Amino acid sequence: MSAPREKTFLLARPEGRVLEWIARRLPAWVMPDHLTALGVLAAIGIAAAYALSNQDPIWLWAASGLLAVHWLGDSLDGTLARVRRSERPRYGYYLDHLVDAIATALIGIGLGLSPYMLLATGLVIVIAYLVLSINTYLETNTLGVFSLGYGRLGPTEARLGLIALNTAIALGIGVQTTVAGLGVSLLDAIGLGAVALMLGGLLWRAARNLRVLAEREPYAA
């Protein structure tokens, strides 16, 4: 897509430098689509690792490792295409966001199938992410700006947060309580808090977008 990208994440600049450094050193046979496929496989592995953590929390370490692999595949494919000047804007836009939706659904469901988060919480997180994504795509088409984030936290920060939580839980640091007869974990509380922030950001952005669009398209006199 030709719309300019806006990145406001905390780690956007250093992450961009690291990704470009890696991209310039990859062998020629590694193509952007290979990295996209790597990201999908890693997402499948993350979901499986969370589900397998019902048997042994050691699988949380596998989930953390695969989150790092998922970052590499998900974030490096576009950088590699830009470094090699081989961008396919429409193809990349379509594939990237289709894969993002699938990966988020896999990871959210995997978390919900683990003993550390309710399945309902995992599904609510997935739904909230998809609603925010739809709003981003609407902004791209109506305002001509592709804004990748809501606030200062993005996918990379979310992965680092998950890795930190995985580590804490694997080391035996976890909070389990009961609310309305349901066991609620630390991950549930953080996940639902994140959803509340996501929806707050969505409402703010939607109000701003509608104000801008209304100014551009006033009622006819």
Side-chain angles (χ1 to χ4, degrees):
M1 297 293 285
S2 58
R5 294 190 170 206
E6 291 183 349
K7 287 187 177 182
T8 59
F9 308 141
L10 288 171
L11 299 175
R13 289 186 179 181
E15 178 187 27
R17 290 193 290 268
V18 170
L19 289 171
E20 183 170 343
W21 186 90
I22 296 172
R24 293 188 182 282
R25 286 159 178 79
L26 286 176
W29 60 266
V30 176
M31 304 299 290
D33 282 355
H34 295 154
L35 296 168
T36 303
L38 177 66
V40 174
L41 292 174
I44 294 170
I46 293 164
Y50 277 128
L52 288 168
S53 68
N54 283 281
Q55 301 176 15
D56 193 325
I58 197 172
W59 284 101
L60 292 171
W61 297 107
S64 293
L66 287 166
L67 280 164
V69 175
H70 182 258
W71 167 79
L72 189 67
D74 180 53
S75 303
L76 189 56
D77 51 2
T79 302
L80 182 62
R82 287 189 291 274
V83 164
R84 294 181 178 174
R85 301 184 183 277
S86 60
E87 300 101 322
R88 293 184 286 175
R90 288 185 293 273
Y91 175 90
Y93 181 89
Y94 180 86
L95 179 62
D96 185 44
H97 297 296
L98 176 63
V99 165
D100 280 349
I102 293 171
T104 300
L106 285 168
I107 295 171
I109 292 170
L111 277 165
L113 293 175
S114 77
Y116 310 107
M117 177 180 281
L118 295 171
L119 179 57
T121 303
L123 292 176
V124 166
I125 293 171
V126 171
I127 292 169
Y129 171 84
L130 294 177
V131 171
L132 264 64
S133 297
I134 290 169
N135 181 65
T136 297
Y137 309 148
L138 290 172
E139 289 176 348
T140 303
N141 284 280
T142 58
L143 298 171
V145 175
F146 182 39
S147 184
L148 289 169
Y150 290 74
R152 300 287 284 166
L153 301 180
T156 299
E157 290 81 2
R159 291 186 191 97
L160 289 173
L162 266 181
I163 290 172
L165 287 169
N166 289 343
T167 302
I169 295 170
L171 294 174
I173 304 170
V175 177
Q176 190 80 24
T177 187
T178 301
V179 176
L182 295 174
V184 179
S185 70
L186 176 64
L187 273 178
D188 286 306
I190 292 174
L192 293 175
V195 167
L197 291 174
M198 290 161 70
L199 294 180
L202 173 64
L203 292 174
W204 181 83
R205 281 263 286 269
R208 183 200 64 183
N209 294 339
L210 289 171
R211 184 175 65 254
V212 170
L213 291 170
E215 291 172 355
R216 294 182 183 180
E217 296 181 342
Y219 282 114

